[in-house]
Amino acid sequence: MERSVAIVSCEQTTMADLRRLVSYMGPEEKLAGRLALQDADLTAVGILVDAIRGDSPELQEIQALRAIVRILGTLAGDATGDTVPDVSSSGSLLVQGIRSEVVTGAVVDLLQRRLRSFPPEEQPWLLLDGLRAMRLLLVLPESAKTAQLAGQRNKAAWWVEED
């Protein structure tokens, strides 16, 4: 019983953090940085995937895409995701979870199959944030490149093929 209460409490806290991150009032100072560099809780990954797939009533698809952009963009030095990223760090466990095949696939599915199901006035904004998110999801951090050259495994780049 105590464990299930703790899990629900963790999910509620994570949802509150994600909602503050994409608030129209602007994100709480240093929240994106904390999530990008220190967060070891993967609860947000499941919440983001559910939201991108349209299965979360508390977080809309556009908010989930913006959360990904803010977290990964902060790691790259631009929380807006507007500049071409130069990522030197693989980031926190949360960031490595966000850069997973599941999240990337959910974003691709949203852009490829579900975009037309949204009202026409929302489609350009979803496309913009979706493409920003895709660019940041597919950037290979320098730490992952270094690890790969040294023959070590790094979970920051699931899509890199081995020779």
Side-chain angles (χ1 to χ4, degrees):
M1 177 73 170
E2 288 179 26
R3 185 172 183 200
S4 63
V5 171
I7 292 171
V8 169
S9 176
C10 181
E11 287 179 3
Q12 290 172 343
T13 302
T14 303
M15 180 63 78
D17 282 349
L18 291 173
R19 291 181 65 81
R20 280 197 318 273
L21 186 64
V22 296
S23 165
Y24 291 110
M25 303 296 283
E28 185 178 301
E29 189 176 335
K30 299 185 181 181
L31 177 59
R34 179 178 59 81
L35 293 171
L37 296 170
Q38 299 169 358
D39 203 334
D41 181 16
L42 294 175
T43 306
V45 175
I47 292 171
L48 291 170
V49 169
D50 287 347
I52 292 168
R53 290 179 176 161
D55 296 335
S56 173
E58 293 102 9
L59 200 65
Q60 297 174 349
E61 291 91 339
I62 189 93
Q63 291 174 310
L65 292 172
R66 286 184 180 153
I68 290 170
V69 168
R70 290 214 173 125
I71 293 168
L72 297 181
T74 296
L75 192 62
D78 179 12
T80 65
D82 286 339
T83 60
V84 175
D86 181 24
V87 182
S88 60
S89 169
S90 296
S92 67
L93 186 60
L94 171 62
V95 167
Q96 292 180 36
I98 289 173
R99 282 200 179 109
S100 68
E101 188 173 0
V102 173
V103 175
T104 305
V107 173
V108 168
D109 184 59
L110 174 67
L111 296 175
Q112 204 172 36
R113 295 190 182 110
R114 295 185 44 236
L115 186 64
R116 300 272 183 239
S117 68
F118 290 90
E121 63 274 6
E122 290 180 19
Q123 290 177 15
W125 302 110
L126 279 165
L127 186 59
L128 177 65
D129 280 321
L131 292 175
R132 284 177 177 158
M134 284 302 299
R135 180 173 62 187
L136 290 165
L137 285 166
L138 296 177
V139 164
L140 185 59
E142 286 298 320
S143 61
K145 291 178 190 174
T146 304
Q148 185 179 9
L149 291 175
Q152 301 167 347
R153 292 186 46 89
N154 189 308
K155 297 189 186 229
W158 61 267
W159 47 266
V160 175
E161 294 181 14
E162 295 184 24
D163 291 334

